[in-house]
Each structure stands twice: as C-alpha cells, then as structure tokens.
Amino acid sequence: MEGYDEHLDRAIDETPDIDDNEARFDVPDADVRQEGNATVYENFQSTLDALGRDEDHVLKFLQNELGTSAHIDESGRARLTGEFSSGRIEDAIDEYTETYVLCPECGLPDTRLEREQGALLLRCEACGARSATSN
C-alpha cells in the first residue's frame, strides 16, 4: 500500500507542466477598420476563440468600456458605432481578459464563468480557485 509521499510524487509526476502561459494563451491584436461612422472589428471571432467566452458577454463588455453600441454582423465581425483605434479596443480586450479570463490566484487562462445564486464567478480549472467578478 502506497504512503502519502508516494501518492504525492505520483501526482506531481502526472501533473502536466504549465509554465509557458504566453505561448498557449495569445489573444490576437485587434484588426479594425473604419467604415463610415462605424468601426469594424474584423477578427472578433478569433478574439472570442482565444478568450473562450460567449460573444454576447464580450460584446456587452466592449460596449460598456467604449461607451457605444455594437452588433455582430452576418460574417461574425463586431460593428461598433463610432471611431475607435485598434489600441483602444485592445485595451478594452485586455481589461476583459484580466477580469473574466485570467485566474486572479494562479494567472492561468484555464477558467470558465459560472453563475451561482445570481453572482457571476470565475472558476479556475487549473488551481480550483473561485472568485467573484463584476456582472
């Protein structure tokens, strides 16, 4: 029968190495262009794929951060009312990532959003931490 130390050694051996966050979590730079009075976020879907979040949640956050209205067109691009630079959109996406994607305990992106008793929680699948987010 194995003792505690043997179990611990085996668990450590079987735990995958997670040491290069940047290489496996890379949000693409915002590819935006002006089209009349709108800013078209061309690679919005790629950003969603990298973040692993629902398009409505990310779009609502962008609208609040940028103080504008927006919708997703038939091609999956976000169309924001007004002129916004790629830098401004990237800053908003960075803020979203910090608040709703990266674990505040271990810093890894292995999280998911869960709603519990009306509160939105960030649950980390890497370290098991649960933390409240702003709705």
Side-chain angles (χ1 to χ4, degrees):
M1 189 165 177
E2 287 186 34
Y4 175 79
D5 289 336
E6 288 82 14
H7 279 292
L8 185 58
D9 289 341
R10 190 166 41 113
I12 289 171
D13 290 342
E14 292 175 6
T15 302
D17 291 330
I18 306 174
D19 54 8
D20 194 4
N21 302 357
E22 297 302 316
R24 60 185 202 97
F25 182 67
D26 187 29
V27 179
D29 293 338
D31 177 14
V32 301
R33 66 180 169 81
Q34 296 309 128
E35 190 175 278
N37 188 32
T39 300
V40 181
Y41 188 166
E42 294 284 348
N43 61 336
F44 185 63
Q45 287 299 320
S46 300
T47 301
L48 292 175
D49 293 343
L51 296 173
R53 295 296 182 260
D54 179 65
E55 66 183 23
D56 293 334
H57 194 257
V58 177
L59 191 65
K60 182 179 176 189
F61 183 86
L62 277 178
Q63 290 177 85
N64 290 340
E65 281 294 300
L66 300 174
T68 190
S69 60
H71 69 277
I72 297 170
D73 67 17
E74 62 282 346
S75 300
R77 299 174 298 205
R79 299 179 70 80
L80 306 151
T81 303
E83 287 189 33
F84 300 98
S85 67
S86 59
R88 182 130 182 248
I89 291 173
E90 287 168 9
D91 288 346
I93 293 296
D94 288 346
E95 184 67 30
Y96 182 90
T97 302
E98 197 66 34
T99 306
Y100 295 106
V101 179
L102 297 178
C103 175
E105 296 298 319
C106 70
L108 294 174
D110 304 325
T111 60
R112 29 172 233 244
L113 293 172
E114 296 178 344
R115 198 162 284 281
E116 188 173 293
Q117 297 177 346
L120 193 59
L121 300 176
L122 190 64
R123 183 175 171 278
C124 182
E125 295 179 349
C127 75
R130 291 169 33 151
S131 53
T133 65
S134 56
N135 290 330

